[in-house]
Amino acid sequence: MAESGSAPAYPLGLTPDYVYLKQAYRFPATAPILVAPGATVIVANSAIDHTANNAPLEHNLLDADFEAKDASGKTVNNPATPAVELAYTFAASVTQMNLVQGGPTTVVLFTATEAEVNNWERSYVYGKTSGTQYLRLPIANIKDGIDILKYSATSINTANKRLYNFIDAGYTTITNASGWNGEVLYRRTSNITSTGRRVLTDTNNSSNDITVSSTIAPRAYE
């Protein structure tokens, strides 16, 4: 996940070969992770049934494939759900995925060896020599990404994009500045094959590819 300050730590164009991460997780390498065509992999902070105790805006995540385990114990984890491994975090006390519920929350998928990640430079906010450090991810390692910007009822500040257009030419957002409204972002369907497999839209532009719903469930599409 990219850093998520009120303004980018490094505005786009300043260091064009890098994106700056506040956290990095890796899938366990103990066995191949095979994703069938049309299938979905869910990574959650808390792989439990969040609809319990009369919470109608929440979702049931019991069948999540992986979970970010919270070493601090602040997040309820599911012992039955495999862990994604924390490779880097901007704060030692933050071991769960630091998702900003109202945005910005920029997520990238990248490939790298453990040694590469360990050797990547840590950088302060541009112009500073102290404070929070972010992991400098080479753009060449990025496979895909999505810019989720903070919602505004008037206009979205696209100057807060963390990703270059060739990674995500647009952006997406939920419809509540503070989050916690039960909305889910999911990919649009481009077509359904003769065998019934749903093909999702992927144009490297979240404005085209992603839509929002307050009723759709995880692993479901419209």
Side-chain angles (χ1 to χ4, degrees), residues 36-111:
T40 300
V41 174
I42 295 179
V43 181
N45 265 331
S46 180
I48 65 173
D49 183 359
H50 296 271
T51 66
N53 301 319
N54 192 29
L57 295 182
E58 298 290 351
H59 298 275
N60 185 349
L61 298 177
L62 276 171
D63 71 339
D65 300 285
F66 295 95
E67 182 183 64
K69 306 296 183 180
D70 184 5
S72 72
K74 297 176 182 178
T75 302
V76 178
N77 288 139
N78 186 342
T81 305
V84 283
E85 301 166 358
L86 181 61
Y88 179 78
T89 184
F90 68 110
S93 61
V94 181
T95 54
Q96 77 278 23
M97 290 186 289
N98 186 238
L99 302 169
V100 183
Q101 67 272 13
T105 298
T106 295
V107 180
V108 292
L109 293 174
F110 66 91
T111 57

Side-chain angles (χ1 to χ4, degrees), residues 83-219:
V84 283
E85 301 166 358
L86 181 61
Y88 179 78
T89 184
F90 68 110
S93 61
V94 181
T95 54
Q96 77 278 23
M97 290 186 289
N98 186 238
L99 302 169
V100 183
Q101 67 272 13
T105 298
T106 295
V107 180
V108 292
L109 293 174
F110 66 91
T111 57
T113 65
E114 183 176 353
E116 284 178 311
V117 174
N118 291 339
N119 289 326
W120 285 343
E121 183 177 330
R122 277 66 168 160
S123 299
Y124 299 111
V125 173
Y126 177 67
K128 295 188 177 183
T129 57
S130 63
T132 301
Q133 287 187 304
Y134 300 110
L135 185 66
R136 197 164 80 158
L137 163 65
I139 279 179
N141 291 69
I142 296 176
K143 301 302 179 184
D144 202 359
I146 176 175
D147 254 326
I148 306 171
L149 300 185
K150 186 173 180 60
Y151 172 76
S152 168
T154 53
S155 63
I156 305 297
N157 186 0
T158 56
N160 284 335
K161 274 179 60 66
R162 267 65 176 182
L163 299 179
Y164 290 98
N165 284 346
F166 62 87
I167 303 172
D168 186 354
Y171 65 89
T172 188
T173 184
I174 63 169
T175 61
N176 188 300
S178 60
W180 306 114
N181 61 347
E183 289 185 338
V184 172
L185 298 172
Y186 67 98
R187 286 194 181 272
R188 301 176 189 272
T189 297
S190 61
N191 69 285
I192 299 176
T193 68
S194 59
T195 61
R197 181 171 70 84
R198 191 177 294 273
V199 179
L200 303 182
T201 305
D202 187 8
T203 65
N204 287 344
N205 185 326
S206 292
S207 301
N208 298 330
D209 299 344
I210 306 296
T211 189
V212 62
S213 171
S214 59
T215 58
I216 202 166
R219 300 191 200 274

